[in-house]
Amino acid sequence: MDNPALSRCRLALTLLAIAPFALGGACLRGRAGGARDIVLRDLGAFPAPQHRLPPDASDARLFGGLDLAATLSSGQVAHSAGVLATARTLILPMAERITPGLAGRLSGALDDGTFCVLALDEGVDEEALHPALADRLAFSLDLDEIRATEAQALSFDLDSVAAAQTLFSRVTVQPDQILELATLTLTLGISSLRAPHFALTCARAHAAFLGRDHVTQDDLIAAAELTLAHRATQLPETDPPPPPPPEGDDEETPPDETPENEDLDLPDDMLLDAVKAALPAGLLERLASGAARSATGSGSGARTKSNRRGRPLPARPGRPDQGKRIDVVSTLRAAAPWQKLREKGDGPVRVWPSDIHIKHYEQTSDRLLIFTVDASGSAAIARLAEAKGAIELLLSEAYARRDHVALIAFRGTDADVLLPPTRSLVQTKRRLAALPGGGGTPLAHGLEAALTLSLTARGRGLTPTLVLLTDGRANIDRQGQVDRPQAATDAQTIARAIRGQGIDALVIDTGNRPEPALSSLSQTLNATYLPLPRADARRLSAAVSDALDQ
Amino acid sequence: MTDPFPFSAIVGQDEMKLAMMLTAVDPSIGGVLVFGDRGTGKSTAVRALPALLPQLTAVTGCPVNSERVTDVPDWAKGAGTTTHRIGTPVVDLPLGASEDRVTGALDIEAALTRGEKAFQPGLLARANRGYLYIDEVNLLEDHIVDLLLDVAQSGENVVERDGLSIRHPARFVLVGSGNPEEGELRPQLLDRFGLSVEVASPKTVDDRVEVMKRRHAYESDHAAFMLRWQAEDAAVRERIVTARETLKTLDATDEVLQDIAELCLKLGADGLRGELTLLKAARAYAAYRNDTAIGRTHIRETATLALRHRLRRDPLDEAGSGARVARVLSDTLA
C-alpha cells in the first residue's frame, strides 16, 4: 500500500473500470509473471466478454470471416465472428510485438469506443507499444516497480465501481478546469489533443469514484498524474535547451513558438507537481539526449518474416488466410500417414484442415556501404590509393555478405557519385581507376550527396551505411566558397540531418594526426570514429568490416 | 456513440478542411495527403466525411457502386436493376492488407463450397466513386503501393490471377495520413496525391480548450451536440453541391494560366502535374466561394496545398517546403 506505483496502478485500473470505453485502456509495461499476473488475475471489474488477442492476429480473427477449417470439415459454409464484434475488453499480450497494421486497425476500432484495451507491453529498452495505439490509451503503467508480494493487495471493490459507473455520466466540470488542463498539456509539451481529453475524462471518473457529482482540484491532480505524466516532453523549469545551433543560421526557425509559451499562465503548481512526481524514470535523460523512441515494427533494413517472398523457412501448420501460400507438398506429407484411417469417403487423398501447411519466408534487406571519400589535395594521393584498395577488398568480401557498395568522391567545389550502388567488382575497378584527386575539401557536399543516395537506397529496400574517409579539414562551404568556419558549420548541419534519418555511419580519419573537428563530426553523426593514419588497404578494410560487424 | 464526430465541429485545421472540401467539389484533383502529429484530428476528419458528403445514386447491390444499370460489370452477382441513394463510400485500406483484399480475388467461399469460379471484389471496388483512406500511408508495403499507383493513374483495376481475368472501374479520391517521423513517402506516390496538408496540434490554449469542450459535449450530451453540428454539416454539403455546378461555368483565363506556369517554373516543381493540379484546385476554390472567375486570390490560397509536396527535397531547408512555396508565391504574385 505504501508503494506509490502500486497505488497509482490500482487507482488507474479502477478508473478504467469505471469509464472503460471513454478512457480507451491502459498500457501495462512489465515482464510476465509477478505483479502483472496478479493484476491480470483480477479483471472481474472490466466489461465482459474479455478476449486475448495475439500480436499477429489476422483480420479474420478481428473482424470475422470465412472459417475455412470449419467449412472444410463440415462441407458447409461456416463464418466465424470477429473478436471485435463481441469483445468489450481486449487483452493484448506481447503488445510491443503488434505489427503496425494491427495497431492501425485496433486504433481505428478504438475510435468507435466499443471496447477497452489492456496492452501488456513486455518491451525491453526501446521496444514499445506502437505509438498510434499508445496515444489512444489513457494510462501507461510500469509494473516492474511493483513487487509481487505487494500486488496481492490489488483488488477492486465491485460495488463501488458499479456505483461510480452510474454517477460518472452526471459528473460536471467547470470551464476553468478545462482551461487548466489545456494549459497544463501545452506547458508539458504534449501535442496530442487526446491527452487533455483523457485527463478530463479521468478527472470525472475520479470524482465519480469518490462519490461526487462535480470535479474538484483533487480530481484534476489525480488525473494529471495518471494521464499526462508519461506523455510529457518538457517541463517548464528544465526547458529543453534549444539545440545548440551554430551561430547565424537561425532566421529560418519559426520564432513564434517560444513567446507564445511564455505568455501562458503557468498552470497550478499543484498540478505540475503531481505530474513531476509521476514522471517515468529516465524520461528527462531521454529528453535531454533528444533520442526519440523509434517506431516499432516497420523500419527498413532489419530482417522481416514474410509470407510471400524471401528465403524459404520451414513450412508450418496454419490457416490459409490473408494471402498466405499453402505449401502443397508439406500439406500432403502431413496428410499422408492418416490416409488409411481416413479411408471411408471417395476421392484419392483426404486432406483435413489440420494438415494444411503454410509457406514462410524470411527476407533480409541488403546493406549498402556508401564510401564517401575525400579526394582533395589535402588527402594525399597515396592515401587515396589505399582507400581505393580497401574498397575493392571490401567489395570482394561484400559479395559473400550480400552488401552493395557505392562511392562518392568530393573534391574542389563539388561531390560526384563515382559509383552508383552496385555489387559488380568489375565496374568498381573501372570506375575507381578514374578517381581524380586534388582541390579543396567540400565535406558538406560529400555528406549531402551521401544523404541523398542513402534516402534513395532506403526507398529501394536497402539499408544504407555511410563510411566517410577524410582528414576532415573542410574548407569549402555549401555555396562553394572558401570559408573554413562556414564549411565546418555546414558539415555539422548535414551530419545532423543524416543522424536524424537514422543512418549508420563510420568515420575514418586518414590524417596523420587525429583531427578534433572530425571526432566531433562523428559524434554528431552518432558514428564510430577510427583514426587510421598511414593505414594500408588491408588494414582499412579490416577496420571497416570489424566496425560494421559490431 | 455510433455517429462519428461531425466534420464542422473540428476546431481549426482549416487547411486540412479546405483540402477535403476542394476534393469533394472536384474529385479529379486527385487526393489529399495529411502529414502531422498524432492526435491532431486527421482520422477524425476522415471518419466524418461520409456524414458530410452529398449522397450518390448507385445501382442496388452493385459491388462497384455503378451509377447506371448498364455500367454494372458482368461479373457482379446480385446487382439489382433499380438505383438508390447511398452515402459516399469512404473505405479504409488497413496497413497489413493483402493484395487479394485490395484488388479482389477468387471467391474462396464459392470455390470451396459450390465449386464455382467467382470474383470476390476487393477494397478498390468498394471505393469506386468514393474515398480510399490509408492511415500511416508511409508505412504501407511496397507491393501495395505499386498496385495503388497503377490503379490511381488508370482509374481501372485489372485482376489477372487465379485464372480470373476481371477489370472494373476504380476511381476514388486517395486520402493518406501519416506521421513524417516514421518514414518518407516514395516520390511517385507523393506525386499521385493532388493536395498535401501539414497539420499540427493547436498551439493556443483557447483552441485546445474549445477542442476539449466540444469533445466533452460530444460524449456527454451527444444528441444535442449532433443536432447542432449536423446542421452545420448540412450547410457545407449544400455549398459543395452548389460548387459542383458552379465548377462547370468557370474557365481559366490566359493570365491565370500564365501565373500558374510561372509559379511552378520558379519553384522547380517536378513534372506538369503540379500545374494541372493547381489549376483544378484554384478553380474548385473559386467554385466553393461561389466566385464568377478564377483570380490570383484563388491561386494564392491553393498553391501551397497543390505544390508543397512536389518540390525537390532539400535536406537542409528546415523551414519546410510550405515556406518555400509561400516565399515564391509572394515574389511571383506580388
Side-chain angles (χ1 to χ4, degrees):
Chain A
M1 194 57 210
D2 298 324
N3 188 336
L6 176 63
S7 40
R8 194 148 60 219
C9 178
R10 180 191 294 115
L11 181 59
L13 291 178
T14 310
L15 298 182
L16 184 58
I18 291 170
F21 307 142
L23 288 171
C27 174
L28 305 172
R29 191 169 168 89
R31 301 292 168 77
R36 201 187 85 174
D37 284 1
I38 292 161
V39 170
L40 290 184
R41 203 181 296 153
D42 191 17
L43 292 178
F46 292 96
Q50 304 174 345
H51 280 285
R52 285 179 93 91
L53 196 69
D56 58 347
S58 66
D59 272 8
R61 180 110 170 77
L62 274 184
F63 302 109
L66 181 73
D67 187 340
L68 199 58
T71 306
L72 273 179
S73 55
S74 66
Q76 301 270 317
V77 182
H79 288 279
S80 62
V83 168
L84 291 187
T86 56
R88 292 292 164 264
T89 302
L90 213 54
I91 301 159
L92 308 174
M94 289 174 285
E96 77 285 355
R97 307 270 306 153
I98 287 181
T99 55
L102 180 60
R105 269 162 285 183
L106 282 176
S107 303
L110 259 178
D111 287 345
D112 296 339
T114 59
F115 62 97
C116 78
V117 166
L118 289 175
L120 310 178
D121 176 0
E122 293 173 34
V124 181
D125 298 333
E126 293 299 289
E127 277 182 316
L129 184 62
H130 190 274
L133 195 51
D135 192 47
R136 287 169 167 88
L137 307 181
F139 304 116
S140 174
L141 303 166
D142 197 337
L143 298 184
D144 281 340
E145 291 171 24
I146 303 173
R147 279 191 297 281
T149 45
E150 295 174 320
Q152 303 288 359
L154 194 75
S155 61
F156 299 108
D157 177 359
L158 291 185
D159 290 337
S160 65
V161 167
Q165 277 171 341
T166 42
L167 186 56
F168 172 69
S169 59
R170 286 184 283 123
V171 177
T172 54
V173 259
Q174 300 304 316
D176 58 326
Q177 290 171 327
I178 294 184
L179 177 69
E180 210 167 333
L181 286 177
T183 317
L184 181 65
T185 49
L186 260 187
T187 318
L188 292 171
I190 303 171
S191 71
S192 172
L193 290 171
R194 289 193 185 94
H197 183 68
F198 278 142
L200 185 66
T201 312
C202 182
R204 288 170 58 218
H206 191 260
F209 180 54
L210 296 180
R212 285 194 296 260
D213 64 354
H214 59 279
V215 170
T216 67
Q217 188 69 10
D218 288 346
D219 302 323
L220 292 186
I221 292 177
E225 186 183 325
L226 288 172
T227 57
L228 300 181
H230 62 279
R231 296 173 205 261
T233 63
Q234 66 180 44
L235 283 177
E237 281 86 344
T238 56
D239 265 327
E247 62 295 341
D249 63 348
D250 271 14
E251 70 221 36
E252 295 287 339
T253 52
D256 53 14
E257 275 174 34
T258 340
E260 231 169 301
N261 276 349
E262 278 169 5
D263 285 346
L264 298 177
D265 304 324
L266 282 188
D268 206 303
D269 281 345
M270 282 160 77
L271 280 188
L272 205 55
D273 288 343
V275 172
K276 267 193 245 169
L279 281 183
L283 176 78
L284 291 179
E285 288 79 21
R286 210 168 64 230
L287 293 176
S289 72
R293 205 174 248 193
S294 55
T296 53
S298 63
S300 53
R303 191 168 282 208
T304 53
K305 284 219 170 61
S306 162
N307 288 313
R308 285 179 289 276
R309 50 185 187 179
R311 189 169 65 88
L313 290 173
R316 273 195 263 146
R319 293 157 41 89
D321 53 6
Q322 289 241 329
K324 293 173 187 169
R325 289 194 187 146
I326 295 179
D327 189 330
V328 177
V329 175
S330 303
T331 304
L332 288 179
R333 190 174 288 147
W338 304 100
Q339 294 308 306
K340 202 83 182 157
L341 278 175
R342 295 175 185 172
E343 202 175 81
K344 44 184 187 283
D346 41 0
V349 185
R350 277 155 292 271
V351 178
W352 285 11
S354 56
D355 299 331
I356 292 174
H357 276 58
I358 303 292
K359 285 184 184 175
H360 285 262
Y361 300 91
E362 183 180 79
Q363 219 180 332
T364 326
S365 74
D366 294 348
R367 182 164 58 188
L368 169 65
L369 293 178
I370 302 174
F371 286 93
T372 311
V373 178
D374 184 351
S376 67
S378 63
I381 301 296
R383 283 203 292 280
L384 202 54
E386 297 300 347
K388 290 182 197 176
I391 292 172
E392 283 173 23
L393 277 173
L394 275 172
L395 193 61
S396 52
E397 276 173 46
Y399 189 73
R401 291 202 311 238
R402 301 208 162 269
D403 284 349
H404 295 238
V405 172
L407 176 69
I408 294 168
F410 52 98
R411 59 180 283 267
T413 57
D414 215 351
D416 296 314
V417 180
L418 288 184
L419 181 69
T422 180
R423 271 162 56 187
S424 153
L425 195 55
V426 182
Q427 201 191 1
T428 310
K429 281 204 159 116
R430 194 182 321 131
R431 300 256 189 158
L432 286 186
L435 179 60
T441 312
L443 188 52
H445 286 90
L447 288 175
E448 192 180 343
L451 175 59
T452 315
L453 192 61
S454 303
L455 294 180
T456 322
R458 189 177 273 176
R460 294 212 316 253
L462 297 167
T463 310
T465 301
L466 210 144
V467 183
L468 177 67
L469 288 104
T470 178
D471 56 5
R473 284 170 212 133
N475 53 17
I476 308 282
D477 70 6
R478 275 187 86 228
Q479 313 303 326
Q481 304 300 318
V482 179
D483 182 350
R484 234 169 233 282
Q486 186 57 40
T489 311
D490 286 350
Q492 288 282 354
T493 318
I494 302 192
R496 266 199 298 281
I498 292 176
R499 183 187 181 160
Q501 290 291 338
I503 297 164
D504 288 333
L506 170 68
V507 176
I508 297 178
D509 189 344
T510 55
N512 287 329
R513 279 186 307 277
E515 170 73 37
L518 209 48
S519 114
S520 92
L521 183 74
S522 55
Q523 271 170 17
T524 312
L525 280 168
N526 200 15
T528 317
Y529 172 69
L530 278 180
L532 278 181
R534 276 187 283 284
D536 63 7
R538 213 157 281 281
R539 270 183 61 204
L540 212 51
S541 81
V544 173
S545 327
D546 284 354
L548 291 179
D549 287 341
Q550 270 166 18
Chain B
M1 284 196 286
T2 42
D3 304 311
F5 195 80
F7 191 84
S8 318
I10 297 171
V11 179
Q13 312 299 12
D14 296 329
E15 204 185 23
M16 174 170 72
K17 287 199 255 182
L18 176 64
M20 301 272 185
M21 292 298 96
L22 295 183
T23 52
V25 172
D26 182 3
S28 74
I29 288 176
V32 184
L33 177 69
V34 188
F35 257 17
D37 297 337
R38 284 175 212 301
T40 45
K42 295 181 303 247
S43 40
T44 309
V46 174
R47 283 177 221 296
L49 279 177
L52 176 80
L53 297 168
Q55 292 195 319
L56 303 173
T57 305
V59 177
T60 41
C62 175
V64 295
N65 313 315
S66 303
E67 192 174 0
R68 287 178 297 270
V69 176
T70 46
D71 296 340
V72 176
D74 51 3
W75 50 263
K77 301 228 162 43
T81 49
T82 52
T83 59
H84 63 157
R85 304 286 286 172
I86 57 166
T88 302
V90 177
V91 176
D92 258 327
L93 193 157
L95 266 192
S98 65
E99 211 175 309
D100 300 14
R101 271 198 66 204
V102 178
T103 60
L106 184 72
D107 185 344
I108 299 195
E109 187 174 326
L112 279 177
T113 56
R114 299 192 295 276
E116 277 174 25
K117 192 167 83 175
F119 177 65
Q120 184 175 40
L123 298 176
L124 293 177
R126 275 174 46 208
N128 189 33
R129 302 181 66 208
Y131 283 69
L132 186 70
Y133 173 53
I134 314 171
D135 196 9
E136 313 270 2
V137 62
N138 42 351
L139 302 182
L140 197 63
E141 281 180 63
D142 269 353
H143 65 281
I144 303 285
V145 173
D146 295 342
L147 210 142
L148 283 178
L149 289 182
D150 192 42
V151 177
Q153 183 59 36
S154 62
E156 187 177 46
N157 178 32
V158 182
V159 183
E160 298 281 356
R161 57 190 298 173
D162 304 335
L164 293 167
S165 178
I166 297 273
R167 52 185 57 214
H168 67 76
R171 294 184 193 286
F172 46 83
V173 176
L174 199 59
V175 178
S177 70
N179 187 337
E181 283 168 19
E182 282 167 22
E184 296 283 331
L185 214 55
R186 275 167 59 192
Q188 295 90 332
L189 185 58
L190 212 50
D191 195 42
R192 295 297 200 279
F193 287 98
L195 309 176
S196 103
V197 183
E198 282 162 19
V199 290
S201 59
K203 288 272 185 283
T204 65
V205 176
D206 291 350
D207 280 351
R208 295 182 77 121
V209 167
E210 191 56 37
V211 171
M212 285 170 74
K213 278 187 182 160
R214 287 190 193 171
R215 187 79 211 183
H216 181 58
Y218 169 70
E219 279 175 16
S220 57
D221 194 7
H222 191 66
F225 183 81
M226 292 309 286
L227 205 63
R228 149 107 175 71
W229 289 103
Q230 271 166 353
E232 298 266 333
D233 269 7
V236 176
R237 186 158 51 237
E238 282 298 305
R239 224 173 139 181
I240 294 174
V241 174
T242 321
R244 282 181 181 171
E245 288 306 312
T246 319
L247 195 67
K248 296 170 190 160
T249 64
L250 288 173
D251 277 320
T253 58
D254 281 351
E255 290 91 68
V256 168
L257 296 178
Q258 185 79 33
D259 280 345
I260 290 177
E262 199 181 329
L263 197 61
C264 292
L265 208 61
K266 278 204 183 151
L267 277 166
D270 291 343
L272 279 174
R273 215 188 289 268
E275 272 102 323
L276 297 174
T277 311
L278 178 52
L279 178 59
K280 280 182 183 168
R283 176 186 291 150
Y285 184 58
Y288 184 62
R289 296 198 355 172
N290 213 359
D291 291 337
T292 47
I294 309 172
R296 283 195 162 178
T297 342
H298 307 118
I299 301 177
R300 208 171 282 135
E301 292 298 317
T302 51
T304 317
L305 285 175
L307 299 178
R308 167 195 281 145
H309 54 299
R310 298 174 202 276
L311 309 186
R312 286 222 166 267
R313 225 168 301 169
D314 181 347
L316 289 187
D317 193 354
E318 289 175 7
S321 34
R324 265 159 78 197
V325 175
R327 210 152 54 212
V328 174
L329 203 57
S330 60
D331 289 352
T332 316
L333 304 185

